[in-house]
Amino acid sequence: MADDAPQFRNPAPSGVVPDVVRELYARFGENTFVYQPTKDDAPTLWVPLEQRDAVLIFLKHYIPRPYKMLLDLHAVDERMRRHRDGLPPADFTLFYHLLSIERNSDVRIKVALNGEYPVVKSIVPIWANANWYERETWDLFGIKFEGHPNLQRILLPRYWKGHPLRKEYPARATEFDPYLLTAARQDEEQNALLFNPEEWGMKRSEREHDYMFLNLGPNHPSAHGAFRIVLQLDGEEIVDCVPDIGYHHRGAEKMAERQSWHTFIPYTDRIDYLGGVMNNLPYVLAVEKLAGIKVPDRVNAIRVMMAEFFRITSHLLFLGTFIQDVGAMTPIFFMFTDRQKAYDVIEAITGFRMHPAWYRIGGVAHDLPNGWDRKVREFLDWFPKRLDEYQKAALNNSILRARTINVAQYNSEEAVEWGITGPGLRATGVDFDLRKKRPYSGYENFEFEVPLANNGDAFDRAIVRINEMRESVKIIKQCMNHMPAGPYKADHPLTCPPPKERTLQDIETLITHFLGVSWGPVMPPGESCQLIEATKGINSYYLTSDGSTMSYRTRIRTPSFAHLQAIPYIIKGAMIPDLIMLLATIDFVMADVDR
């Protein structure tokens, strides 16, 4: 990068330079980088493409307390962005979000790319889990990665034309020609589903025997959604496999470019559709960082309480279907009874059950209703005793233990290498829960433990989740007993919508309400990212505002996407029933994978 490139600017008013930035400057020189101020806490550095690999290798292997996890990798089409003051010229940007568990720290490395269809070198030799991220970036942006093991479309079918996250690609159905399924088109779509083993580096046979290829899914009860996995088998042993995703892709990140900051909230509910308001939380927190909104304590407590209710409902579904996959039918009916009781509380407070879309920019949709604490108390009196029964009757069952202990096992280093987070990481003994390590929404005010295990197998992943439900009960109880008084929305001009009672008092607030809901609040230019400990692992929203009523770029990092990518590595050499245990204890949701 040229010596006259914009120089480093202090990331904070105090002038304190993050350690990782200081260490990178010492190793590569200050003029190698352009520092970009953002609204979040992740140091963001632009590096020249020719220096990218050296910087990434240094951060992963040689820096003290290294950044071992590639948390996210994706791109931005910069060609229509107006507010780029001080940033290197670029048609497209690649960004790499790295995480160090030892430091409890992130760093974001950016690379400027120019040209209509840029070509860059793959980093799969550095991070194995870059494979799917680079395929997705090629699929949606058309950025080619040289040296990639198999640069195929991943979310869209192979016959698709164009790359939807490019700015010239239409965002609305009315901008497309009518869809016609001709006989030729149907044949094309069917042929695209055919599996060619050689394409994935698999052999059909060895000298003495042939391999069998088994197609599992995309419609199969053990696949837990519209998910397909093709197995290469030697007898019943899994030699290799290829997960196939994208059947549930709806273009959520593209939708964010045509929805206002306010009206995109219901779309977030449909990402991890079992997580409910847990999906709203990272989005509204990231928007609030852009807007500079600080919410009242009551809002934080309400958000935490409802998020933990959805953690319980999600984990209950996991536990019931997991035990069902082992072969026991009865427990899932008991657990659905408990879920309904939890949903009764959620409905009484929010008005909805699975998809409340209830959090708002600056607060929640409305205040807690009269009698909410009675409903919560009834659930808290009921639920802990049921958990004890489940552990005694199901998890201590000898058949379940034999099917899951030492099955689908991986260690902490492997989990970090593949970007596994949440219960799947903590089951290997890694004490990393964002609610404790980087408290958000007031989690620092609650007393709870982070459940851990050590074996990293299917059984431990189940035990961690059942213990997480016990801790969620503790958090909800503290919310109930110590709910702060005060408003349920922040008094800020970008809170959307503003408190209803204010609109009845002055015309300015009424106009703001009208514009905020119908047109959308205008967020200041900038970038912000919010990570949360969602039901299945780390979920984040990385938002780019160009000073408009809509997001310029919304990147949704979901835990399930990373977890499915690790399946071939974990399951090689195991049996088909072990794969079913792995799929069950990953606890993925295909909408969370495909977005």
Side-chain angles (χ1 to χ4, degrees):
M1 195 162 292
D3 290 341
D4 59 351
Q7 297 298 305
F8 166 76
R9 285 165 285 182
N10 288 338
S14 62
V16 177
V17 180
D19 290 342
V20 62
V21 176
R22 196 182 306 278
E23 291 164 284
L24 285 168
Y25 284 179
R27 173 64 179 82
F28 295 97
E30 185 171 337
N31 288 336
T32 301
F33 303 93
V34 174
Y35 189 94
Q36 179 186 347
T38 59
K39 301 293 179 69
D40 55 27
D41 298 326
T44 301
L45 294 163
W46 294 71
V47 302
L49 181 57
E50 59 271 17
Q51 290 277 77
R52 179 202 63 176
D53 288 7
V55 169
L56 294 178
I57 291 170
F58 175 72
L59 287 167
K60 184 180 181 184
H61 294 294
Y62 300 113
I63 196 172
R65 296 176 297 153
Y67 289 77
K68 291 285 189 181
M69 184 181 289
L70 175 64
L71 190 71
D72 199 12
L73 183 172
H74 225 266
V76 180
D77 185 344
E78 302 275 2
R79 292 172 298 171
M80 294 181 65
R81 189 171 169 188
R82 297 168 298 162
H83 297 280
R84 299 192 73 256
D85 298 341
L87 302 182
D91 293 321
F92 295 87
T93 299
L94 275 179
F95 64 84
Y96 304 85
H97 190 142
L98 311 181
L99 185 148
S100 169
I101 291 176
E102 293 179 77
R103 293 174 181 243
N104 186 24
S105 167
D106 297 352
V107 63
R108 189 180 295 119
I109 301 298
K110 289 190 172 186
V111 178
L113 304 177
N114 290 291
E116 188 174 1
Y117 290 96
V119 179
V120 299
K121 184 181 173 184
S122 171
I123 67 158
V124 170
I126 304 174
W127 270 285
N129 72 322
N131 187 317
W132 277 20
Y133 290 115
E134 289 183 346
R135 286 179 62 193
E136 184 185 356
T137 305
W138 150 249
D139 195 1
L140 301 182
F141 283 96
I143 298 171
K144 186 175 181 181
F145 295 89
E146 286 186 330
H148 188 281
N150 198 331
L151 195 62
Q152 300 281 354
R153 289 194 183 271
I154 186 169
L155 295 180
L156 298 170
R158 293 192 174 192
Y159 54 81
W160 199 267
K161 302 293 189 286
H163 304 278
L165 285 185
R166 296 169 68 94
K167 289 300 180 182
E168 73 270 15
Y169 197 91
R172 299 179 183 275
T174 53
E175 297 170 315
F176 290 92
D177 293 333
Y179 178 80
L180 297 174
L181 184 61
T182 62
R185 180 72 178 269
Q186 186 172 3
D187 290 342
E188 182 185 21
E189 294 185 7
Q190 289 297 317
N191 290 334
L193 295 173
L194 296 176
F195 180 76
N196 181 7
E198 288 82 5
E199 195 175 70
W200 299 93
M202 297 179 180
K203 295 181 179 180
R204 294 179 185 266
S205 62
E206 297 286 356
R207 180 174 300 175
E208 298 179 355
H209 62 277
D210 295 335
Y211 293 115
M212 181 173 73
F213 291 87
L214 177 65
N215 189 78
L216 179 67
N219 299 303
H220 190 283
S222 291
H224 292 257
F227 170 56
R228 177 193 187 199
I229 184 165
V230 182
L231 306 175
Q232 182 188 26
L233 300 174
D234 184 1
E236 288 194 40
E237 180 183 330
I238 299 172
V239 179
D240 204 349
C241 64
V242 176
D244 185 18
I245 65 174
Y247 298 93
H248 216 307
H249 180 63
R250 293 97 69 217
E253 294 179 12
K254 187 72 171 182
M255 290 178 190
E257 298 178 12
R258 62 177 177 85
Q259 296 292 328
S260 77
W261 299 100
H262 175 66
T263 58
F264 186 64
I265 292 173
Y267 289 83
T268 67
D269 272 34
R270 276 77 181 171
I271 304 299
D272 170 11
Y273 52 71
L274 300 176
V277 296
M278 189 83 79
N279 295 283
N280 305 159
L281 189 54
Y283 176 73
V284 297
L285 289 175
V287 175
E288 286 162 5
K289 284 181 181 178
L290 286 172
I293 297 174
K294 187 178 186 309
V295 302
D297 291 341
R298 184 174 180 85
V299 170
N300 280 330
I302 293 173
R303 286 177 174 177
V304 165
M305 181 174 70
M306 301 314 297
E308 294 304 319
F309 261 109
F310 272 100
R311 193 183 308 278
I312 289 173
T313 60
S314 177
H315 282 2
L316 280 172
L317 182 61
F318 152 76
L319 194 59
T321 53
F322 159 65
I323 297 170
Q324 186 180 37
D325 282 344
V326 178
M329 288 297 296
T330 307
I332 194 169
F333 296 105
F334 285 88
M335 292 166 198
F336 263 75
T337 298
D338 294 344
R339 289 181 80 235
Q340 293 309 312
K341 287 184 177 294
Y343 279 132
D344 288 344
V345 181
I346 292 166
E347 183 181 23
I349 291 175
T350 69
F352 299 88
R353 295 175 81 83
M354 281 192 72
H355 299 141
W358 193 63
Y359 293 174
R360 295 290 182 270
I361 301 168
V364 292
H366 51 74
D367 207 350
L368 295 171
N370 293 333
W372 69 271
D373 51 338
R374 177 180 56 81
K375 298 284 290 183
V376 172
R377 186 173 289 106
E378 289 173 358
F379 179 79
L380 296 182
D381 289 341
W382 162 273
F383 186 55
K385 292 174 284 190
R386 301 277 284 194
L387 282 179
D388 294 339
E389 291 179 17
Y390 299 151
Q391 184 138 7
K392 181 180 178 181
L395 294 182
N396 291 341
N397 180 282
S398 60
I399 297 176
L400 184 144
R401 295 172 71 90
R403 286 285 307 277
T404 57
I405 291 177
N406 297 328
V407 169
Q409 192 173 10
Y410 53 82
N411 61 37
S412 57
E413 290 184 5
E414 293 166 330
V416 170
E417 176 67 24
W418 285 98
I420 295 172
T421 57
L425 177 63
R426 293 188 287 275
T428 67
V430 177
D431 185 4
F432 193 76
D433 186 315
L434 291 176
R435 295 173 297 172
K436 283 285 190 182
K437 298 297 184 181
R438 306 180 191 179
Y440 53 91
S441 293
Y443 269 107
E444 65 274 14
N445 301 319
F446 296 90
E447 293 183 5
F448 65 99
E449 302 297 324
V450 176
L452 301 175
N454 294 302
N455 208 30
D457 57 18
F459 183 77
D460 279 0
R461 292 192 284 276
I463 287 293
V464 166
R465 288 186 177 93
I466 201 167
N467 288 333
E468 282 190 359
M469 286 190 276
R470 299 184 195 278
E471 299 304 314
S472 292
V473 167
K474 291 181 186 177
I475 295 171
I476 293 170
K477 188 173 184 179
Q478 293 171 67
C479 291
M480 179 185 69
N481 292 334
H482 306 287
M483 180 60 66
Y488 64 93
K489 283 185 180 176
D491 186 8
H492 188 282
L494 290 177
T495 295
C496 188
K500 182 70 173 179
E501 58 274 11
R502 292 277 298 278
T503 67
L504 304 176
Q505 296 172 2
D506 56 84
I507 189 63
E508 290 81 4
T509 308
L510 183 60
I511 293 171
T512 301
H513 184 283
F514 176 77
L515 293 176
V517 173
S518 61
W519 187 32
V522 178
M523 292 297 156
E527 299 177 11
S528 74
C529 181
Q530 177 66 50
L531 281 61
I532 72 158
E533 196 65 48
T535 61
K536 305 179 188 320
I538 293 179
N539 185 20
S540 70
Y541 277 74
Y542 178 26
L543 306 179
T544 300
S545 171
D546 204 27
S548 172
T549 59
M550 296 179 289
S551 166
Y552 183 83
R553 173 78 172 99
T554 296
R555 169 59 180 165
I556 309 171
R557 191 273 179 193
T558 62
S560 296
F561 183 87
H563 296 170
L564 290 194
Q565 185 177 185
I567 289 175
Y569 176 83
I570 297 169
I571 208 63
K572 282 181 183 178
M575 302 294 180
I576 296 174
D578 299 337
L579 171 67
I580 304 306
M581 290 298 94
L582 175 60
L583 296 181
T585 55
I586 287 177
D587 184 31
F588 59 90
V589 163
M590 285 313 299
D592 197 53
V593 178
D594 294 341
R595 287 151 285 129

